[in-house]
């Protein structure tokens, strides 16, 4: 976020925050439509790459992805096994959707993972909502076929 965005967020508070959340939701939705509806494989790969970039360090986009995007990514994993770049992008998007942020990376150069963990826990208590990754992981694991789909990716495809 640029300087003007931070100033606006400070001045207008939750109004700007809500607007950013709506923008994240619509961006995720638009990219998901591109992934599922595009005819050219290159367009689908580009949309998957953009989605991956949007999800990085963006809890609102991650929550939107869990709410509307899991079926799209799972369909890619199931139906597009021959497109390795798209498959890799889908796995990276899935990882960003269901994995908790790395606590050691959040600690920065100090390497104080315990302090970062405490700070993260305090922020979560203030927000009174579970992290998007936990919500998304729960949604993902509710269907046992999802885990079987991932395990199936480890098996080689039969030749012939």
């Amino acid at each position: 976020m640029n300087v003007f965005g931070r100033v606006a967020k400070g001045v207008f508070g939750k109004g700007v925050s809500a607007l950013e959340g709506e923008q994240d939701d619509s961006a995720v939705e638009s990219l998901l439509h591109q992934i599922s509806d595009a005819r050219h494989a290159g367009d689908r790969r580009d949309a998957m790459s953009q989605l991956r970039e949007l999800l990085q360090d963006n809890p609102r986009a991650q929550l939107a992805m869990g709410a509307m995007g899991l079926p799209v990514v799972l369909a890619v994993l199931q139906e597009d096994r021959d497109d390795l770049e798209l498959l890799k992008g889908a796995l990276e998007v899935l990882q960003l959707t269901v994995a908790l942020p790395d606590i050691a990376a959040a600690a920065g150069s100090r390497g104080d993972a315990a302090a970062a963990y405490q700070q993260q826990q305090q922020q979560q208590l203030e927000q009174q909502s579970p992290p998007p990754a936990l919500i998304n992981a729960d949604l993902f694991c509710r269907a046992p076929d999802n885990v079987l789909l991932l395990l199936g990716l480890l098996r080689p495809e039969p030749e012939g």
Side-chain angles (χ1 to χ4, degrees):
M1 179 183 299
N2 63 24
V3 174
F4 296 115
R6 279 185 251 151
V7 170
K9 187 173 182 180
V11 172
F12 299 112
K14 294 188 180 204
V16 171
S17 181
L19 181 62
E20 289 174 356
E22 290 174 12
Q23 290 174 344
D24 290 338
D25 289 355
S26 63
V28 168
E29 185 176 11
S30 173
L31 291 168
L32 290 170
H33 282 297
Q34 289 178 26
I35 292 168
S36 62
D37 297 337
R39 293 182 183 194
H40 300 310
D43 294 340
R44 297 177 76 207
R45 286 186 214 111
D46 291 342
M48 189 70 74
S49 176
Q50 291 172 18
L51 181 59
R52 182 181 62 238
E53 290 171 13
L54 178 65
L55 292 174
Q56 294 207 359
D57 301 322
N58 189 340
R60 288 188 178 129
Q62 292 167 356
L63 195 57
M65 175 60 198
M68 26 179 184
L70 285 176
V72 173
V73 172
L74 293 169
V76 168
L77 292 174
Q78 188 171 18
E79 299 167 4
D80 295 305
R81 290 185 68 167
D82 56 333
D83 188 342
L84 294 180
E85 188 176 338
L86 184 62
L87 192 66
K88 179 183 175 207
L91 288 170
E92 290 172 349
V93 163
L94 184 62
Q95 185 270 332
L96 288 168
T97 303
V98 300
L100 289 172
D102 187 15
I103 294 169
S109 60
R110 296 182 319 203
D112 190 5
Y117 181 74
Q118 270 186 328
Q119 183 180 11
Q120 183 181 22
Q121 292 298 322
Q122 182 64 31
Q123 288 173 351
Q124 288 175 4
L125 286 175
E126 291 171 5
Q127 295 174 354
Q128 291 300 317
S129 62
L134 290 179
I135 296 168
N136 295 339
D138 182 53
L139 288 171
F140 178 80
C141 291
R142 284 185 184 185
D145 292 341
N146 294 343
V147 176
L148 293 174
L149 174 65
L150 290 179
L151 290 174
L153 292 173
L154 298 174
R155 276 183 271 157
E157 288 269 331
E159 294 182 26

